[in-house]
Amino acid sequence: MPAVQETVDRVRAIDVDQYKYGFVTEIESDKVRKGLDEDIVGFISEKKAEPAWMLEWRLDAFRRWQTMAEPTWARVHYPPIDFQDLHYYSAPKSTAGPKSLDEVDPELLAMYEKLGIPLREREILAGVEGAGSRVAVDAVFDSVSVVTTFKEELAKAGVIFCSISEAVREHPELVRRYLGSVVPVTDNFYATLNSAVFSDGSFVYIPPGVRCPMELSTYFRINERNTGQFERTLIIADKGAHVSYLEGCTAPMRDENQLHAAVVELVALDDAEIKYSTVQNWYPGDKEGRGGIYNFVTKRGDCRGHNSRISWTQVETGSAITWKYPSCILRGDNSRGEFYSIAVSNGYQQVDSGTKMIHLGKNTSSRIISKGISAGHSSNTYRGLVQAHRKADGARNYTQCDSLLIGDQCGAHTIPYIEAKTKTAVFEHEATTSKISDAQLFYCRSRGIPQEEAVALIVNGFVKDVIQQLPMEFAVEAQKLIGVSLEGSVG
Amino acid sequence: MTNLLEVRNLHASVGEREILHGLNLTIGAGEVHAVMGPNGSGKSTLSHVLAGRDDYEVTDGTITLDGQDLLELEPEERAAAGVFLALQYPVEIPGVANMTFLKAALTAQRKARGEPDLSTADFMKRVRAEADKLGISPEMLKRPVNVGFSGGEKKRNEILQMAVLSPRLCVLDETDSGLDIDALRIVADGVNALRSPERGMLVITHYQRLLDLIVPDVVHVLSGGKIVKTGGPGLALELEERGYAEYLGAAAA
């Protein structure tokens, strides 16, 4: 309860006219020429010292990608992207494979510090009491992972947490078995592009019966100009394993748009549980809608085993355009998928986001709670698919989609697709649309709460159900972020 | 006795229509004033103008609280200066717990006044004590503000906010509307408990029955956007007997 007030105080403390993470880090980088062809794909693979099978996999994806067209069904509008006018690889020069933190460029460490992301384990250990609140971090800067913390301690539990490049080299059997098994190479235009040129990202493997001893987290940062970021994340929870993972994203303020096309694959085997949380705060563009990140992301979890469970929680406040549908394939009997989402759009941001719950196994269940908040001139669409296969006896879904409008220049849209191919499926869908009313604002203000705090208070009330799903450490951060994103949205 | 609230020649409009046509009202510290009047006389306009709702435009006149110009202030600044308006129709805020709302309000007011923040323990103690007096359960403090509250609960909740925020001037806008006699008694007891030599109250009502329970020092008749008669508590009884008919003409004149 007092957390809300603290949040509000912190919101006030932040300079709101600026996107807080909009700085550029001056770091010499190793950047490949613009454009995309087989040579570039080969170059990336070589940079990563990848085995031949990985290069083949990439080239296969690239050849397929050349035959594909960009999807246009989403409710978002943007000028055509010239895919030959982008750099597909950029790495900070001095950090090609740092052995320890001491070898990491101090500029980079300073940048992560500025972002509030602690990378020095000793400081984390010294600063935070109690084992439960420690977080292992993988930091990805442009195209490479610069550092992963707590590796040794995790290794003791048998947990593998490293960059995907490292995993390709060190754990090829796991990568070969699972990469592309949830999001196939040909899944969609952006996923296929990612398969050809993905540069880095995180890899997690939790062995059977292990409960990961701490939160895992990856922070993504796009720094370089005209560079696409194509990260790839693969998380495998073996039988009976548990893991909670969080990703955070920021980028500098730039006039031109930047492309981010990630793929995230989750695999949960029998009785395993994966909780995946995202706090997405890519640069959203300026007040006139110039610049900002195009966030075209494919995220999918496969509840491959019986009684497995995958839960997506996302707080989306950034990006000029967001196109993402974290989904669950409920293959194992009695498996469960969850999607909790807060999508905030302000200025000229466009969001088309939602989820897909594909029920294949018996007695599978899913739950969708989506809270969309639109302000300014933004457009915010929830698009979701709930589908029960013929053999998915006893499939159950509950969906709740709520939209909150602030001002009269923004739009909220809810597009649910519901397909039941078995008579035993029970699907429920509830949707509401509301506005922050003048009466509510006046009521708060007449009690002494200033207007922008009042908006943050009302919005935090609206999203409470979802905030509660976030790991404690990030709930406060998320509330703060929502408040900041909506500064200046009223009056 | 010093004057707490002074309203001079107040003209206020909604859209193109002027509703208050030169209203004068003075409330001293420690006094309880009642404003009675027929429907459409400007009672709610007066209360909302005092609290600073922007749908109402003040075209002429002055309002001061302790000599400070209220018209210069935003609603939240007026609240911090000590104005509290108990609404006729309290507003629902889904997902925001009653306790959270109270804390946000008190913290903001104290901050605006440059006072130190109350510790959470002291705050809780204060809220619980006031809630007890009004028969508000701990469970109701956790529920979202006014969501699913009965009419009586909403009004009691307004009085709870008033008690916790401890304003200089309490404005009660038809607090009796929609209440049965038992609920009315609880609310009136809550208001009476807040009477003090430093505080002024403006009780706006249509009916005498609230004034049986909250006995005012001064009664004003508002009609056609002006105060047309001022008297002692007896004036309320007179109105109850004779109605407002004789004042309707006076306002038009």
Side-chain angles (χ1 to χ4, degrees):
Chain A
M1 171 224 6
V4 175
Q5 191 48 51
E6 281 165 31
T7 301
V8 166
D9 289 344
R10 286 193 203 186
V11 168
R12 306 299 314 175
I14 291 167
D15 179 17
V16 295
D17 284 336
Q18 295 226 326
Y19 172 72
K20 186 183 168 194
Y21 308 102
F23 56 86
V24 178
T25 309
E26 291 304 331
I27 273 187
E28 222 187 323
S29 67
D30 187 0
K31 192 156 71 169
V32 72
R33 69 170 161 83
K34 279 184 180 177
L36 183 55
D37 51 36
E38 295 202 2
D39 287 345
I40 294 286
V41 174
F43 172 87
I44 294 169
S45 184
E46 201 183 307
K47 271 277 170 196
K48 304 269 168 201
E50 286 176 354
W53 62 265
M54 194 68 241
L55 175 62
E56 269 316 303
W57 199 83
R58 286 176 180 274
L59 287 171
D60 175 50
F62 175 69
R63 286 169 199 141
R64 288 167 186 266
W65 178 72
Q66 285 177 304
T67 69
M68 296 166 83
E70 275 183 82
T72 53
W73 45 263
R75 202 187 160 87
V76 293
H77 306 280
Y78 54 94
I81 299 170
D82 183 352
F83 288 93
Q84 295 302 331
D85 195 34
L86 290 175
H87 297 284
Y88 285 84
Y89 184 84
S90 166
K93 220 167 205 170
S94 58
T95 60
K99 296 276 183 306
S100 74
L101 266 178
D102 300 337
E103 289 178 35
V104 175
D105 189 324
E107 276 286 319
L108 263 177
L109 287 178
M111 179 210 68
Y112 279 98
E113 216 150 273
K114 216 165 162 180
L115 293 171
I117 301 157
L119 295 181
R120 292 180 182 277
E121 297 169 18
R122 264 167 292 142
E123 287 170 16
I124 302 169
L125 286 168
V128 186
E129 290 288 313
S133 46
R134 280 179 307 153
V135 179
V137 177
D138 183 25
V140 177
F141 185 86
D142 286 340
S143 304
V144 293
S145 165
V146 286
V147 66
T148 309
T149 63
F150 287 110
K151 260 177 143 167
E152 283 172 24
E153 184 159 341
L154 287 168
K156 273 184 227 155
V159 172
I160 303 170
F161 179 39
C162 62
S163 72
I164 191 106
S165 315
E166 193 180 328
V168 168
R169 294 190 300 267
E170 308 289 326
H171 308 284
E173 68 298 335
L174 284 171
V175 176
R176 275 188 101 159
R177 186 141 139 223
Y178 290 106
L179 188 73
S181 73
V182 185
V183 179
V185 167
T186 53
D187 191 78
N188 69 72
F189 183 82
Y190 296 110
T192 306
L193 175 62
N194 175 288
S195 300
V197 300
F198 74 85
S199 40
D200 224 327
S202 300
F203 175 83
V204 177
Y205 173 77
I206 315 288
V210 171
R211 183 176 278 271
C212 189
M214 63 185 87
E215 296 272 346
L216 303 182
S217 152
T218 300
Y219 275 89
F220 295 102
R221 175 76 178 172
I222 301 179
N223 191 58
E224 205 49 58
R225 192 179 292 272
N226 292 325
T227 302
Q229 189 174 49
F230 305 93
E231 86 260 2
R232 185 104 194 176
T233 297
L234 176 59
I235 298 176
I236 302 136
D238 212 319
K239 291 179 183 175
H242 287 243
V243 62
S244 171
Y245 178 94
L246 181 121
E247 63 168 5
C249 336
T250 58
M253 289 155 66
R254 295 196 184 280
D255 289 342
E256 73 271 23
N257 297 103
Q258 286 173 288
L259 178 62
H260 172 252
V263 172
V264 174
E265 297 179 277
L266 312 182
V267 180
L269 301 182
D270 290 353
D271 305 304
E273 194 175 323
I274 301 175
K275 185 174 167 68
Y276 193 105
S277 312
T278 303
V279 176
Q280 186 264 107
N281 187 23
W282 296 119
Y283 177 53
D286 68 10
K287 278 180 203 146
E288 274 78 46
R290 273 187 308 258
I293 302 286
Y294 290 165
N295 191 32
F296 301 146
V297 172
T298 305
K299 291 183 168 178
R300 197 171 302 154
D302 190 354
C303 285
R304 205 162 282 182
H306 299 326
N307 308 315
S308 56
R309 178 169 171 173
I310 289 178
S311 173
W312 298 98
T313 304
Q314 59 172 24
V315 178
E316 303 276 320
T317 59
S319 299
I321 297 178
T322 298
W323 180 97
K324 74 180 264 202
Y325 314 89
S327 304
C328 295
I329 300 167
L330 303 169
R331 200 183 301 276
D333 291 347
N334 304 313
S335 61
R336 177 168 173 83
E338 291 167 352
F339 175 74
Y340 300 100
S341 171
I342 298 169
V344 181
S345 57
N346 197 356
Y348 285 86
Q349 283 177 278
Q350 304 176 58
V351 179
D352 192 308
S353 183
T355 184
K356 289 185 272 187
M357 293 291 172
I358 313 290
H359 293 254
L360 302 177
K362 293 186 195 350
N363 298 316
T364 48
S365 62
S366 60
R367 181 178 167 86
I368 298 170
I369 310 285
S370 166
K371 304 273 181 177
I373 299 143
S374 340
H377 293 81
S378 68
S379 157
N380 203 323
T381 302
Y382 167 83
R383 189 185 300 275
L385 169 67
V386 178
Q387 189 183 56
H389 201 256
R390 252 175 225 91
K391 291 176 180 165
D393 295 339
R396 290 214 50 142
N397 166 267
Y398 173 75
T399 299
Q400 185 189 332
C401 288
D402 297 326
S403 304
L404 184 69
L405 300 168
I406 302 175
D408 53 9
Q409 302 290 314
C410 54
H413 313 274
T414 299
I415 308 175
Y417 302 81
I418 299 169
E419 296 170 20
K421 292 176 182 159
T422 164
K423 283 180 191 164
T424 59
V426 179
F427 290 169
E428 290 173 74
H429 181 95
E430 286 180 24
T432 65
T433 302
S434 52
K435 257 192 91 165
I436 291 189
S437 66
D438 291 346
Q440 281 176 324
L441 280 178
F442 173 70
Y443 191 60
C444 293
R445 295 179 72 190
S446 74
R447 299 305 180 247
I449 304 168
Q451 178 139 305
E452 302 217 308
E453 279 181 36
V455 171
L457 186 72
I458 294 167
V459 170
N460 275 320
F462 175 73
V463 301
K464 198 172 90 186
D465 303 350
V466 176
I467 292 281
Q468 283 169 346
Q469 299 297 329
L470 282 173
M472 272 295 272
E473 292 87 339
F474 305 107
V476 175
E477 183 190 358
Q479 285 184 322
K480 182 173 70 181
L481 195 56
I482 292 163
V484 172
S485 306
L486 291 170
E487 289 275 350
S489 60
V490 181
Chain B
M1 196 173 287
T2 54
N3 287 338
L4 177 67
L5 178 75
E6 283 198 40
V7 181
R8 290 280 162 268
N9 188 35
L10 183 66
H11 290 256
S13 319
V14 179
E16 295 290 290
R17 207 160 65 91
E18 186 173 278
I19 308 229
L20 299 180
H21 314 289
L23 184 140
N24 293 298
L25 178 69
T26 302
I27 299 179
E31 293 176 1
V32 175
H33 288 226
V35 168
M36 303 182 73
N39 286 327
S41 59
K43 297 194 300 294
S44 277
T45 300
L46 174 61
S47 66
H48 281 92
V49 166
L50 288 173
R53 177 122 199 210
D54 17 328
D55 307 9
Y56 298 84
E57 199 196 341
V58 174
T59 51
D60 201 2
T62 58
I63 304 175
T64 58
L65 185 79
D66 281 328
Q68 186 184 12
D69 182 3
L70 276 191
L71 295 175
E72 288 284 293
L73 304 181
E74 294 292 325
E76 58 269 28
E77 294 168 331
R78 296 183 194 200
V83 177
F84 183 93
L85 168 64
L87 290 175
Q88 184 177 4
Y89 304 107
V91 180
E92 298 184 358
I93 308 181
V96 177
N98 227 348
M99 197 68 125
T100 307
F101 183 74
L102 272 171
K103 181 86 162 78
L106 187 64
T107 305
Q109 288 201 13
R110 292 180 72 102
K111 194 171 154 193
R113 291 194 292 259
E115 296 166 8
D117 205 359
L118 215 56
S119 78
T120 302
D122 287 346
F123 168 75
M124 302 279 272
K125 218 185 275 172
R126 183 158 158 187
V127 173
R128 290 218 174 99
E130 297 297 345
D132 266 359
K133 290 188 214 160
L134 291 159
I136 291 174
S137 65
E139 186 265 336
M140 199 171 134
L141 291 173
K142 287 185 203 150
R143 275 159 62 190
V145 181
N146 293 322
V147 177
F149 286 19
S150 70
E153 286 175 328
K154 282 184 183 174
K155 296 295 168 70
R156 271 188 280 157
N157 202 35
E158 293 290 283
I159 305 306
L160 172 67
Q161 291 175 7
M162 195 162 94
V164 171
L165 296 173
S166 190
R168 297 272 287 134
L169 175 72
C170 305
V171 182
L172 293 102
D173 187 7
E174 309 219 15
T175 296
D176 51 335
S177 71
L179 294 188
D180 60 35
I181 191 68
D182 294 329
L184 192 64
R185 193 171 295 279
I186 295 171
V187 166
D189 287 348
V191 173
N192 284 329
L194 293 174
R195 293 177 85 142
S196 88
E198 297 81 43
R199 184 172 286 145
M201 290 197 184
L202 180 62
V203 181
I204 295 172
T205 183
H206 204 73
Y207 300 107
Q208 157 65 22
R209 60 171 193 168
L210 179 66
L211 302 183
D212 287 339
L213 300 171
I214 305 172
V215 180
D217 302 303
V218 183
V219 175
H220 307 274
V221 179
L222 177 64
S223 184
K226 283 180 175 176
I227 300 289
V228 293
K229 180 155 188 174
T230 297
L235 179 57
L237 293 166
E238 233 172 81
L239 286 169
E240 182 77 3
E241 223 165 89
R242 310 225 294 256
Y244 293 109
E246 63 185 280
Y247 299 106
L248 292 173

